[in-house]
Amino acid sequence: MNKLTTAPPSELSLQKKLFQQIKNGLGSHLSLVEEVADLLGISTDSAYRRLRSETPVSLEEAAILCKHFHIALDEIIPQPQEAVIFRRFSIHEQALTFADYLRYSREYFEKMRLIKHCMCYYAAKDIPVFYHFMFPPLGKFKLFFWLKTVKGVPEFKNLPFSFESIPDEYMKLSNAISDSYFQTPGVEIWNEETTNSTLRQIYYYHEAGLFADPAIPLALVDQLEQLVKHVHLQAETGQKLLHTATPAAVPVKFELYHNEVLLLDNTILHQADSFSSVLVSYNAIDYLTTTNHAFCHEVYRWLQIQMEKSVLISKISEKERNRFFNKMYENIKQHRKKMQEQR
Protein backbone atom coordinates (compact mmCIF):
# COMPACT_ATOMS: atom_id res chain seq x y z
CA MET A 1 0.00 0.00 0.00
CA ASN A 2 1.42 3.38 -0.97
CA LYS A 3 2.42 5.82 1.76
CA LEU A 4 1.62 9.50 1.49
CA THR A 5 4.30 11.92 2.60
CA THR A 6 3.33 14.66 5.02
CA ALA A 7 5.06 17.61 3.40
CA PRO A 8 5.07 19.00 -0.13
CA PRO A 9 8.34 19.64 -1.97
CA SER A 10 10.21 22.51 -0.32
CA GLU A 11 13.03 24.90 -1.11
CA LEU A 12 12.16 24.91 -4.78
CA SER A 13 11.66 27.92 -6.99
CA LEU A 14 8.14 28.43 -8.32
CA GLN A 15 9.36 27.39 -11.76
CA LYS A 16 10.85 24.15 -10.45
CA LYS A 17 7.66 23.49 -8.49
CA LEU A 18 5.64 23.94 -11.65
CA PHE A 19 7.67 21.41 -13.61
CA GLN A 20 7.81 19.00 -10.68
CA GLN A 21 4.01 19.09 -10.48
CA ILE A 22 3.74 18.47 -14.23
CA LYS A 23 6.19 15.57 -13.97
CA ASN A 24 4.28 14.01 -11.07
CA GLY A 25 1.09 13.84 -13.10
CA LEU A 26 2.64 12.91 -16.44
CA GLY A 27 2.10 9.41 -17.78
CA SER A 28 5.25 7.27 -17.85
CA HIS A 29 4.89 6.89 -21.64
CA LEU A 30 5.31 10.65 -22.21
CA SER A 31 8.46 12.78 -22.38
CA LEU A 32 8.30 15.92 -20.24
CA VAL A 33 10.69 17.82 -22.50
CA GLU A 34 8.79 16.94 -25.67
CA GLU A 35 5.43 17.74 -24.10
CA VAL A 36 6.62 21.17 -22.93
CA ALA A 37 8.27 21.92 -26.30
CA ASP A 38 5.11 20.98 -28.23
CA LEU A 39 2.80 22.96 -25.96
CA LEU A 40 4.91 26.12 -25.97
CA GLY A 41 5.96 25.85 -29.64
CA ILE A 42 9.66 25.92 -28.78
CA SER A 43 12.65 23.68 -29.46
CA THR A 44 13.61 20.86 -27.11
CA ASP A 45 16.78 22.83 -26.23
CA SER A 46 14.63 25.78 -25.17
CA ALA A 47 12.40 23.43 -23.18
CA TYR A 48 15.45 21.97 -21.41
CA ARG A 49 16.61 25.47 -20.46
CA ARG A 50 13.22 26.16 -18.87
CA LEU A 51 13.26 22.84 -17.02
CA ARG A 52 16.70 23.67 -15.62
CA SER A 53 15.50 27.22 -14.74
CA GLU A 54 18.16 28.73 -16.99
CA THR A 55 15.40 30.51 -18.93
CA PRO A 56 12.43 31.92 -16.99
CA VAL A 57 8.94 30.74 -17.92
CA SER A 58 6.78 33.67 -18.96
CA LEU A 59 3.35 34.27 -17.43
CA GLU A 60 1.72 33.30 -20.73
CA GLU A 61 3.74 30.07 -20.90
CA ALA A 62 2.88 29.19 -17.30
CA ALA A 63 -0.82 29.73 -18.09
CA ILE A 64 -0.60 27.38 -21.09
CA LEU A 65 1.10 24.68 -19.03
CA CYS A 66 -1.28 24.99 -16.07
CA LYS A 67 -4.34 24.85 -18.31
CA HIS A 68 -3.13 21.81 -20.24
CA PHE A 69 -2.01 19.80 -17.21
CA HIS A 70 -4.94 20.88 -14.99
CA ILE A 71 -2.72 22.47 -12.36
CA ALA A 72 -4.25 24.88 -9.85
CA LEU A 73 -2.39 27.86 -8.43
CA ASP A 74 -2.33 26.46 -4.90
CA GLU A 75 -0.16 23.62 -6.16
CA ILE A 76 2.55 26.13 -7.09
CA ILE A 77 2.05 29.22 -4.93
CA PRO A 78 1.70 28.67 -1.16
CA GLN A 79 -1.83 29.40 0.07
CA PRO A 80 -3.30 29.74 3.58
CA GLN A 81 -3.66 26.30 5.16
CA GLU A 82 -7.46 26.50 5.10
CA ALA A 83 -7.62 27.40 1.39
CA VAL A 84 -8.09 24.61 -1.15
CA ILE A 85 -8.59 25.23 -4.85
CA PHE A 86 -10.85 22.74 -6.64
CA ARG A 87 -11.61 22.12 -10.27
CA ARG A 88 -15.10 20.90 -11.10
CA PHE A 89 -16.63 18.75 -13.76
CA SER A 90 -20.38 18.63 -13.77
CA ILE A 91 -23.45 17.88 -15.86
CA HIS A 92 -25.44 21.00 -16.72
CA GLU A 93 -29.07 21.21 -17.77
CA GLN A 94 -28.28 20.97 -21.48
CA ALA A 95 -27.84 17.49 -22.92
CA LEU A 96 -25.04 18.68 -25.23
CA THR A 97 -22.75 19.32 -22.26
CA PHE A 98 -23.05 15.72 -21.08
CA ALA A 99 -20.59 14.51 -23.71
CA ASP A 100 -18.11 17.12 -22.43
CA TYR A 101 -18.57 15.80 -18.89
CA LEU A 102 -17.86 12.27 -20.08
CA ARG A 103 -14.84 13.36 -22.13
CA TYR A 104 -13.31 15.17 -19.17
CA SER A 105 -13.95 12.12 -16.99
CA ARG A 106 -12.35 9.86 -19.59
CA GLU A 107 -9.25 12.08 -19.76
CA TYR A 108 -8.99 12.22 -15.97
CA PHE A 109 -9.22 8.47 -15.36
CA GLU A 110 -6.95 7.67 -18.30
CA LYS A 111 -4.37 10.08 -16.88
CA MET A 112 -4.60 8.34 -13.50
CA ARG A 113 -4.19 4.94 -15.15
CA LEU A 114 -0.95 6.00 -16.81
CA ILE A 115 0.69 7.26 -13.61
CA LYS A 116 3.23 4.75 -12.37
CA HIS A 117 2.31 2.90 -9.16
CA CYS A 118 -1.03 4.69 -8.89
CA MET A 119 -3.63 3.25 -6.51
CA CYS A 120 -7.31 4.24 -6.55
CA TYR A 121 -9.27 4.32 -3.27
CA TYR A 122 -13.08 4.47 -3.50
CA ALA A 123 -15.38 4.99 -0.49
CA ALA A 124 -18.52 3.58 -2.09
CA LYS A 125 -21.82 4.96 -0.88
CA ASP A 126 -23.26 3.64 -4.17
CA ILE A 127 -21.96 1.02 -6.56
CA PRO A 128 -19.01 2.65 -8.36
CA VAL A 129 -20.59 3.74 -11.63
CA PHE A 130 -17.80 2.12 -13.66
CA TYR A 131 -19.33 -1.30 -12.99
CA HIS A 132 -22.63 -0.30 -14.61
CA PHE A 133 -20.93 0.34 -17.94
CA MET A 134 -19.72 -3.26 -18.06
CA PHE A 135 -23.39 -4.21 -18.43
CA PRO A 136 -24.71 -1.95 -21.24
CA PRO A 137 -28.46 -2.05 -20.40
CA LEU A 138 -27.67 -1.07 -16.81
CA GLY A 139 -25.17 1.57 -17.96
CA LYS A 140 -27.74 3.13 -20.29
CA PHE A 141 -30.30 3.25 -17.49
CA LYS A 142 -27.80 4.92 -15.16
CA LEU A 143 -26.98 7.62 -17.75
CA PHE A 144 -30.67 8.17 -18.48
CA PHE A 145 -31.47 8.48 -14.77
CA TRP A 146 -28.76 11.11 -14.35
CA LEU A 147 -30.02 13.17 -17.27
CA LYS A 148 -33.76 12.92 -16.60
CA THR A 149 -34.18 12.60 -12.85
CA VAL A 150 -31.03 14.06 -11.32
CA LYS A 151 -30.31 16.93 -13.74
CA GLY A 152 -33.75 17.49 -15.29
CA VAL A 153 -32.42 17.89 -18.85
CA PRO A 154 -35.40 19.24 -20.87
CA GLU A 155 -34.94 16.79 -23.77
CA PHE A 156 -35.58 13.90 -21.38
CA LYS A 157 -38.46 15.44 -19.40
CA ASN A 158 -41.33 13.55 -21.07
CA LEU A 159 -39.27 10.63 -22.32
CA PRO A 160 -39.72 7.13 -20.83
CA PHE A 161 -36.62 4.99 -20.60
CA SER A 162 -35.77 2.60 -23.39
CA PHE A 163 -32.43 1.14 -24.39
CA GLU A 164 -32.48 3.37 -27.47
CA SER A 165 -32.69 6.56 -25.36
CA ILE A 166 -28.93 6.91 -24.89
CA PRO A 167 -26.71 7.87 -27.86
CA ASP A 168 -23.91 5.45 -28.79
CA GLU A 169 -21.37 8.24 -28.22
CA TYR A 170 -22.27 8.39 -24.53
CA MET A 171 -21.78 4.65 -24.12
CA LYS A 172 -18.42 4.67 -25.95
CA LEU A 173 -17.12 7.43 -23.70
CA SER A 174 -18.51 5.70 -20.60
CA ASN A 175 -16.89 2.40 -21.57
CA ALA A 176 -13.55 4.17 -22.03
CA ILE A 177 -13.85 5.61 -18.50
CA SER A 178 -14.68 2.16 -17.17
CA ASP A 179 -11.72 0.57 -18.97
CA SER A 180 -9.29 3.03 -17.37
CA TYR A 181 -10.75 2.39 -13.93
CA PHE A 182 -10.46 -1.39 -14.24
CA GLN A 183 -6.84 -1.11 -15.36
CA THR A 184 -5.89 0.89 -12.25
CA PRO A 185 -5.14 -1.05 -9.04
CA GLY A 186 -7.73 -0.19 -6.45
CA VAL A 187 -9.24 -0.43 -2.99
CA GLU A 188 -13.01 -0.19 -2.55
CA ILE A 189 -14.89 0.17 0.72
CA TRP A 190 -18.51 -1.02 0.54
CA ASN A 191 -21.31 -1.47 3.04
CA GLU A 192 -24.64 -3.29 2.87
CA GLU A 193 -26.37 -0.17 1.52
CA THR A 194 -24.08 0.17 -1.49
CA THR A 195 -26.37 -1.64 -3.96
CA ASN A 196 -29.56 0.00 -2.70
CA SER A 197 -29.27 3.21 -4.70
CA THR A 198 -29.47 1.47 -8.09
CA LEU A 199 -32.22 -0.86 -6.86
CA ARG A 200 -34.28 2.09 -5.62
CA GLN A 201 -33.83 3.93 -8.91
CA ILE A 202 -35.08 0.93 -10.91
CA TYR A 203 -38.01 0.41 -8.55
CA TYR A 204 -38.92 4.12 -8.62
CA TYR A 205 -39.11 4.09 -12.43
CA HIS A 206 -41.12 0.86 -12.27
CA GLU A 207 -43.70 2.34 -9.90
CA ALA A 208 -43.84 5.65 -11.76
CA GLY A 209 -44.41 3.97 -15.13
CA LEU A 210 -41.27 5.50 -16.61
CA PHE A 211 -40.19 2.45 -18.60
CA ALA A 212 -41.16 2.25 -22.27
CA ASP A 213 -41.44 -1.54 -21.97
CA PRO A 214 -42.73 -3.25 -18.78
CA ALA A 215 -40.14 -6.01 -19.23
CA ILE A 216 -37.23 -3.59 -18.77
CA PRO A 217 -37.17 -3.30 -14.94
CA LEU A 218 -36.80 -7.05 -14.41
CA ALA A 219 -34.10 -7.16 -17.08
CA LEU A 220 -32.23 -4.40 -15.23
CA VAL A 221 -32.53 -6.24 -11.92
CA ASP A 222 -31.05 -9.33 -13.59
CA GLN A 223 -28.20 -7.19 -14.88
CA LEU A 224 -27.62 -5.79 -11.41
CA GLU A 225 -27.38 -9.30 -10.02
CA GLN A 226 -24.74 -10.10 -12.66
CA LEU A 227 -22.85 -6.96 -11.64
CA VAL A 228 -22.80 -8.03 -7.98
CA LYS A 229 -21.59 -11.50 -9.01
CA HIS A 230 -18.80 -9.81 -10.95
CA VAL A 231 -17.69 -7.86 -7.85
CA HIS A 232 -18.01 -11.06 -5.81
CA LEU A 233 -15.63 -12.82 -8.21
CA GLN A 234 -13.19 -9.91 -8.04
CA ALA A 235 -13.23 -10.21 -4.25
CA GLU A 236 -12.50 -13.94 -4.48
CA THR A 237 -9.57 -13.48 -6.84
CA GLY A 238 -8.22 -10.20 -5.48
CA GLN A 239 -8.04 -8.83 -9.01
CA LYS A 240 -10.02 -6.38 -11.09
CA LEU A 241 -11.67 -8.25 -13.93
CA LEU A 242 -12.45 -7.21 -17.48
CA HIS A 243 -15.79 -7.39 -19.29
CA THR A 244 -15.31 -11.11 -19.87
CA ALA A 245 -14.79 -11.67 -16.13
CA THR A 246 -11.20 -12.72 -16.81
CA PRO A 247 -8.04 -11.17 -15.35
CA ALA A 248 -6.06 -8.67 -17.39
CA ALA A 249 -2.80 -9.83 -19.00
CA VAL A 250 -1.01 -8.02 -16.19
CA PRO A 251 -2.96 -8.64 -12.93
CA VAL A 252 -4.63 -5.52 -11.51
CA LYS A 253 -4.83 -5.56 -7.72
CA PHE A 254 -8.26 -5.31 -6.10
CA GLU A 255 -9.07 -5.05 -2.39
CA LEU A 256 -12.62 -4.94 -1.04
CA TYR A 257 -13.51 -3.90 2.51
CA HIS A 258 -16.86 -4.28 4.25
CA ASN A 259 -17.61 -1.29 6.47
CA GLU A 260 -20.46 -1.68 8.97
CA VAL A 261 -19.98 1.68 10.67
CA LEU A 262 -20.48 4.53 8.18
CA LEU A 263 -22.62 5.37 5.18
CA LEU A 264 -19.79 6.38 2.84
CA ASP A 265 -19.72 9.33 0.43
CA ASN A 266 -18.27 8.21 -2.95
CA THR A 267 -14.96 10.00 -2.38
CA ILE A 268 -12.21 8.83 -4.75
CA LEU A 269 -8.49 9.20 -4.03
CA HIS A 270 -5.79 8.45 -6.60
CA GLN A 271 -2.38 8.13 -5.02
CA ALA A 272 1.08 7.42 -6.38
CA ASP A 273 4.58 7.78 -4.96
CA SER A 274 4.77 11.55 -5.52
CA PHE A 275 1.27 12.43 -6.69
CA SER A 276 -2.24 12.40 -5.27
CA SER A 277 -5.62 13.62 -6.44
CA VAL A 278 -9.06 13.58 -4.84
CA LEU A 279 -12.52 13.57 -6.39
CA VAL A 280 -15.27 14.74 -4.04
CA SER A 281 -18.86 14.20 -5.17
CA TYR A 282 -21.58 16.84 -4.95
CA ASN A 283 -25.05 17.24 -6.49
CA ALA A 284 -25.21 13.42 -6.48
CA ILE A 285 -23.10 12.93 -9.63
CA ASP A 286 -20.86 15.98 -10.10
CA TYR A 287 -17.28 16.12 -8.84
CA LEU A 288 -14.78 18.57 -7.42
CA THR A 289 -11.15 17.59 -7.90
CA THR A 290 -7.96 18.83 -6.29
CA THR A 291 -4.33 17.81 -5.94
CA ASN A 292 -3.86 20.01 -2.85
CA HIS A 293 -1.33 18.07 -0.80
CA ALA A 294 -2.75 18.74 2.65
CA PHE A 295 -6.31 17.96 1.54
CA CYS A 296 -5.29 14.72 -0.18
CA HIS A 297 -3.36 13.65 2.90
CA GLU A 298 -6.40 14.37 5.10
CA VAL A 299 -8.59 12.22 2.83
CA TYR A 300 -5.96 9.48 2.82
CA ARG A 301 -5.92 9.39 6.63
CA TRP A 302 -9.73 9.26 6.73
CA LEU A 303 -9.73 6.34 4.30
CA GLN A 304 -7.12 4.52 6.37
CA ILE A 305 -9.28 4.91 9.48
CA GLN A 306 -12.30 3.51 7.65
CA MET A 307 -10.26 0.56 6.38
CA GLU A 308 -9.05 -0.14 9.91
CA LYS A 309 -12.67 -0.23 11.07
CA SER A 310 -13.69 -2.49 8.18
CA VAL A 311 -13.23 -6.17 7.36
CA LEU A 312 -11.06 -7.09 4.38
CA ILE A 313 -13.17 -9.57 2.37
CA SER A 314 -11.08 -9.95 -0.78
CA LYS A 315 -9.02 -13.18 -1.10
CA ILE A 316 -9.40 -13.88 2.63
CA SER A 317 -12.37 -14.05 5.05
CA GLU A 318 -14.46 -16.35 2.83
CA LYS A 319 -17.20 -16.65 5.45
CA GLU A 320 -17.53 -12.89 5.86
CA ARG A 321 -17.34 -12.34 2.10
CA ASN A 322 -20.14 -14.82 1.35
CA ARG A 323 -22.29 -13.45 4.15
CA PHE A 324 -21.86 -9.92 2.77
CA PHE A 325 -22.75 -10.82 -0.82
CA ASN A 326 -25.59 -13.15 0.15
CA LYS A 327 -27.34 -10.21 1.81
CA MET A 328 -27.07 -8.30 -1.46
CA TYR A 329 -28.39 -11.25 -3.47
CA GLU A 330 -31.32 -11.58 -1.09
CA ASN A 331 -32.12 -7.87 -1.36
CA ILE A 332 -32.11 -8.11 -5.16
CA LYS A 333 -34.32 -11.21 -4.96
CA GLN A 334 -36.88 -9.40 -2.82
CA HIS A 335 -37.04 -6.42 -5.21
CA ARG A 336 -37.43 -8.77 -8.17
CA LYS A 337 -40.27 -10.62 -6.43
CA LYS A 338 -42.04 -7.37 -5.53
CA MET A 339 -41.90 -6.12 -9.13
CA GLN A 340 -43.11 -9.47 -10.49
CA GLU A 341 -46.12 -9.33 -8.18
CA GLN A 342 -46.95 -5.79 -9.34
CA ARG A 343 -46.91 -6.57 -13.07
Side-chain angles (χ1 to χ4, degrees):
M1 194 175 297
N2 294 324
K3 295 290 185 180
L4 197 66
T5 57
T6 57
S10 59
E11 305 302 319
L12 294 175
S13 69
L14 295 181
Q15 185 160 323
K16 287 183 177 179
K17 285 184 179 181
L18 171 62
F19 286 119
Q20 183 63 51
Q21 195 68 26
I22 293 172
K23 184 178 179 180
N24 290 346
L26 196 66
S28 58
H29 68 300
L30 297 175
S31 164
L32 176 60
V33 173
E34 292 178 1
E35 284 288 298
V36 170
D38 287 344
L39 283 170
L40 301 184
I42 58 179
S43 67
T44 54
D45 285 344
S46 295
Y48 269 119
R49 286 196 292 273
R50 284 162 173 76
L51 291 174
R52 293 193 294 260
S53 296
E54 295 171 3
T55 299
V57 172
S58 70
L59 183 60
E60 289 77 11
E61 290 174 338
I64 291 171
L65 293 170
C66 287
K67 182 177 180 180
H68 180 80
F69 292 105
H70 306 296
I71 295 174
L73 287 176
D74 71 331
E75 299 169 37
I76 308 301
I77 303 173
Q79 301 289 322
Q81 185 176 0
E82 299 80 11
V84 180
I85 296 177
F86 287 90
R87 196 176 302 272
R88 70 179 173 90
F89 50 112
S90 60
I91 301 171
H92 303 296
E93 294 181 359
Q94 294 78 36
L96 290 176
T97 65
F98 188 53
D100 294 333
Y101 168 89
L102 293 174
R103 288 189 194 98
Y104 186 90
S105 300
R106 178 193 61 189
E107 292 170 5
Y108 180 89
F109 284 97
E110 179 63 6
K111 176 184 176 182
M112 297 300 113
R113 182 185 75 81
L114 293 171
I115 295 174
K116 193 174 182 179
H117 304 311
C118 188
M119 179 73 75
C120 177
Y121 297 84
Y122 198 123
K125 176 182 178 181
D126 309 310
I127 299 172
V129 69
F130 317 101
Y131 288 102
H132 296 79
F133 302 134
M134 301 181 76
F135 303 88
L138 202 57
K140 290 180 179 181
F141 172 72
K142 182 63 70 170
L143 296 178
F144 186 91
F145 186 87
W146 285 356
L147 291 165
K148 179 183 177 71
T149 304
V150 177
K151 287 296 185 177
V153 174
E155 295 92 318
F156 290 79
K157 182 177 181 181
N158 298 314
L159 193 66
F161 173 74
S162 70
F163 297 125
E164 293 73 37
S165 304
I166 298 299
D168 290 341
E169 179 191 12
Y170 291 179
M171 288 304 297
K172 288 178 181 177
L173 290 168
S174 299
N175 287 331
I177 298 167
S178 179
D179 288 345
S180 293
Y181 180 78
F182 284 100
Q183 293 177 65
T184 305
V187 174
E188 294 176 7
I189 309 173
W190 288 38
N191 59 37
E192 292 168 12
E193 293 290 317
T194 299
T195 58
N196 284 343
S197 177
T198 299
L199 271 173
R200 291 190 186 110
Q201 290 165 9
I202 295 170
Y203 189 70
Y204 171 81
Y205 268 47
H206 167 71
E207 283 202 308
L210 295 175
F211 288 114
D213 183 334
I216 291 177
L218 289 175
L220 292 177
V221 171
D222 291 342
Q223 289 275 291
L224 181 60
E225 185 174 46
Q226 293 304 309
L227 184 160
V228 174
K229 288 180 178 178
H230 184 94
V231 181
H232 193 166
L233 185 58
Q234 286 191 163
E236 288 179 355
T237 60
Q239 295 182 39
K240 286 188 175 182
L241 302 174
L242 305 177
H243 296 265
T244 55
T246 57
V250 178
V252 180
K253 181 180 179 180
F254 176 73
E255 291 184 3
L256 181 65
Y257 287 82
H258 173 206
N259 185 301
E260 296 182 277
V261 181
L262 287 181
L263 186 63
L264 302 164
D265 59 4
N266 292 331
T267 294
I268 303 173
L269 167 70
H270 283 93
Q271 179 190 317
D273 294 335
S274 57
F275 174 86
S276 54
S277 178
V278 168
L279 290 170
V280 180
S281 66
Y282 74 102
N283 292 347
I285 55 176
D286 298 324
Y287 281 99
L288 297 172
T289 178
T290 185
T291 55
N292 178 276
H293 184 88
F295 186 87
C296 290
H297 181 68
E298 185 178 344
V299 170
Y300 174 80
R301 286 294 305 129
W302 176 77
L303 287 166
Q304 290 298 305
I305 292 169
Q306 303 321 308
M307 290 161 63
E308 290 168 3
K309 298 182 182 300
S310 303
V311 178
L312 177 64
I313 58 174
S314 52
K315 295 194 75 173
I316 62 174
S317 305
E318 179 181 18
K319 180 179 178 181
E320 290 297 325
R321 179 171 63 246
N322 289 337
R323 180 183 298 167
F324 175 72
F325 282 101
N326 284 339
K327 288 181 179 178
M328 292 189 176
Y329 296 138
E330 180 61 27
N331 193 19
I332 292 171
K333 178 181 176 181
Q334 292 302 320
H335 276 78
R336 180 189 289 115
K337 180 180 179 182
K338 187 160 51 174
M339 284 189 284
Q340 286 173 333
E341 291 172 348
Q342 293 174 348
R343 290 184 69 179

